[in-house]
Amino acid sequence: MARLASKISFVLFLCLLLPAAKSAFAGDACNDGGAYFASSKFKIKTSTGIVKTTIYYTTRGTLNASRSNAILLLPGTSGDRNSMNDLIGSGNAFDPTKHFIITPDPLGGGCSVSPAVTTRHEFPPYDVRDMVRTEVELVQKEFKIKRLLAVAGISQGAFQTLQLGVDTPSFAKALILIVPASRCDATCQDLVSRMEAKVFADPNWQGGAYSDNPKQGLFDAGKFYFPWLYTDAYAEKAGEAAAAALGQKWADNWDAKSLVYRYDAAKTFHIARYYRNTGSALRRVKAKVLLMRSTSDRLLTYRGDADDLLQGLPRAKVQDIPSELGHMACCQGAGSAENTFIRTGISEFLNGIPSK
């Protein structure tokens, strides 16, 4: 009887992780035609045992017979599977008439397993490498793909893309890093810590054991973070209303612990974390690399020729985005100068990568 009760308890907990109209993003019904993949690479330790994670993903295009045309797209820290939609489409950078495009919600957010869909105090912190391991497993096991044509990522998605290229050097022919860095440096870490402190200051936070999502803390965090995503000139022109809009977006769309854990993963990223140093890590990369940095980025600081990635990946192709929008040069809408520059650069780069 005790064993039966234990099995029932375990099954009930599993039900929390199955596809449902619940996600780290409020109001996201997870019913946009995507699917779930049960990963074994990241395991949640609970009072009832160890539970495999579920990664939600969508696809566009058709996988060719040789399984050689697949591209994995990875979003920024607070983004999701739709973050790169303005670069997807017929004749666009990522073309579903030519490419098989995989867009997951990375571990810890969106419709994938996260603190929002489990017992919060039982969901462990994770890092960029954990995120990458689940994504590699998704590609290998769900689609039986041995080698990707390319992986592309924005901001924290670029962290993941780089980590994948270092950890599994032969897994992708090409890496596309948009507003990237080899690490979240001291300035980046301090900003994230101060942003998170806004969440912790909300009385509803309750040390993370909240029943009511601390929306005021999320609002304050987003409002604080806003200026660092842009330049001073843009932030001043956009004004308080734009900063408040980001705060409201976070308050409306994120579970607090899911957001904090996702930014913790960004804050702790350093490509040398599991290697002797940055140089030795980057020397493992075999893929062709496109670096697309924003010349006005101050979140992941633009360092010009002193950039660690530029020095560690001397054969990388570099296309710096001429923008006054700071870090967010990465993510402007179709028709903007930044979007046109990025889509053109990616298209030209991918044209030089054989798909067979």
Side-chain angles (χ1 to χ4, degrees):
M1 183 65 70
R3 181 176 295 178
L4 177 61
S6 177
K7 286 185 178 180
I8 292 173
S9 176
F10 184 70
V11 170
L12 287 174
F13 187 82
L14 275 175
C15 289
L16 293 174
L17 303 184
L18 292 176
K22 187 177 181 183
S23 77
F25 302 132
D28 190 338
C30 310
N31 60 358
D32 58 353
Y36 285 85
F37 170 72
S39 170
S40 63
K41 293 293 184 183
F42 184 83
K43 299 177 181 179
I44 301 171
K45 296 179 180 179
T46 76
S47 58
T48 55
I50 297 176
V51 180
K52 294 179 181 179
T53 66
T54 52
I55 302 299
Y56 188 79
Y57 67 91
T58 55
T59 64
R60 272 164 274 194
T62 302
L63 187 62
N64 63 17
S66 60
R67 301 180 182 275
S68 61
N69 66 332
I71 296 177
L72 178 67
L73 302 185
L74 302 172
T77 315
S78 60
D80 69 354
R81 61 193 179 277
N82 296 307
S83 291
M84 298 177 75
N85 282 354
D86 285 331
L87 294 171
I88 302 172
S90 179
N92 210 329
F94 307 111
D95 188 339
T97 67
K98 299 189 297 183
H99 306 134
F100 179 63
I101 303 160
I102 306 167
T103 51
D105 279 337
L107 174 71
C111 293
S112 293
V113 69
S114 71
V117 297
T118 62
T119 303
R120 287 190 183 93
H121 72 275
E122 293 185 331
F123 194 95
Y126 57 91
D127 67 9
V128 165
R129 182 179 249 195
D130 292 317
M131 299 167 80
V132 168
R133 284 174 171 172
T134 62
E135 291 151 5
V136 170
E137 190 183 25
L138 162 68
V139 171
Q140 290 178 331
K141 292 190 175 180
E142 189 80 338
F143 301 107
K144 308 299 188 245
I145 294 170
K146 295 181 179 179
R147 195 179 191 195
L148 289 163
L149 176 64
V151 185
I154 292 171
S155 191
Q156 191 194 51
F159 290 174
Q160 295 169 63
T161 300
L162 183 62
Q163 189 77 59
L164 184 150
V166 170
D167 288 350
T168 55
S170 299
F171 189 56
K173 292 181 180 180
L175 308 177
I176 300 167
L177 311 179
I178 305 171
V179 291
S182 65
R183 67 194 186 283
C184 180
D185 64 15
T187 299
C188 170
Q189 292 174 29
D190 179 64
L191 290 172
V192 172
S193 294
R194 286 194 282 155
M195 178 272 287
E196 292 174 334
K198 301 290 185 181
V199 178
F200 304 154
D202 188 323
N204 283 345
W205 172 251
Q206 297 292 312
Y210 53 88
S211 54
D212 295 323
N213 198 26
K215 290 191 173 185
Q216 185 62 51
L218 287 165
F219 175 85
D220 293 342
K223 189 175 179 182
F224 166 81
Y225 205 59
F226 175 85
W228 292 96
L229 297 172
Y230 295 94
T231 61
D232 282 339
Y234 179 85
E236 289 172 6
K237 182 171 61 177
E240 286 287 313
L246 178 62
Q248 195 61 53
K249 182 178 180 180
W250 281 12
D252 290 342
N253 294 318
W254 269 94
D255 165 73
K257 183 166 277 191
S258 298
L259 183 82
V260 167
Y261 275 17
R262 177 62 64 78
Y263 273 88
D264 274 345
K267 182 170 66 175
T268 59
F269 175 72
H270 193 314
I271 199 59
R273 184 175 183 181
Y274 297 101
Y275 297 93
R276 185 163 53 87
N277 53 45
T278 297
S280 64
L282 295 179
R283 283 193 292 273
R284 292 175 52 86
V285 174
K286 294 181 179 179
K288 292 186 177 181
V289 179
L290 173 62
L291 299 177
M292 304 195 86
R293 307 172 301 175
S294 169
T295 57
S296 55
D297 198 335
R298 61 176 182 169
L299 179 65
L300 298 178
T301 312
Y302 177 79
R303 292 183 171 87
D305 290 342
D307 192 295
D308 286 347
L309 293 178
L310 195 60
Q311 294 185 351
L313 301 167
R315 292 183 297 278
K317 182 176 182 180
V318 181
Q319 291 200 355
D320 286 341
I321 308 164
S323 176
E324 295 181 354
L325 292 177
H327 193 65
M328 293 305 291
C330 66
C331 308
Q332 300 307 302
S336 67
E338 290 82 6
N339 180 273
T340 300
F341 182 92
I342 291 170
R343 66 178 287 187
T344 301
I346 291 174
S347 296
E348 291 174 353
F349 177 70
L350 286 178
N351 284 340
I353 309 297
S355 61
K356 293 183 180 180

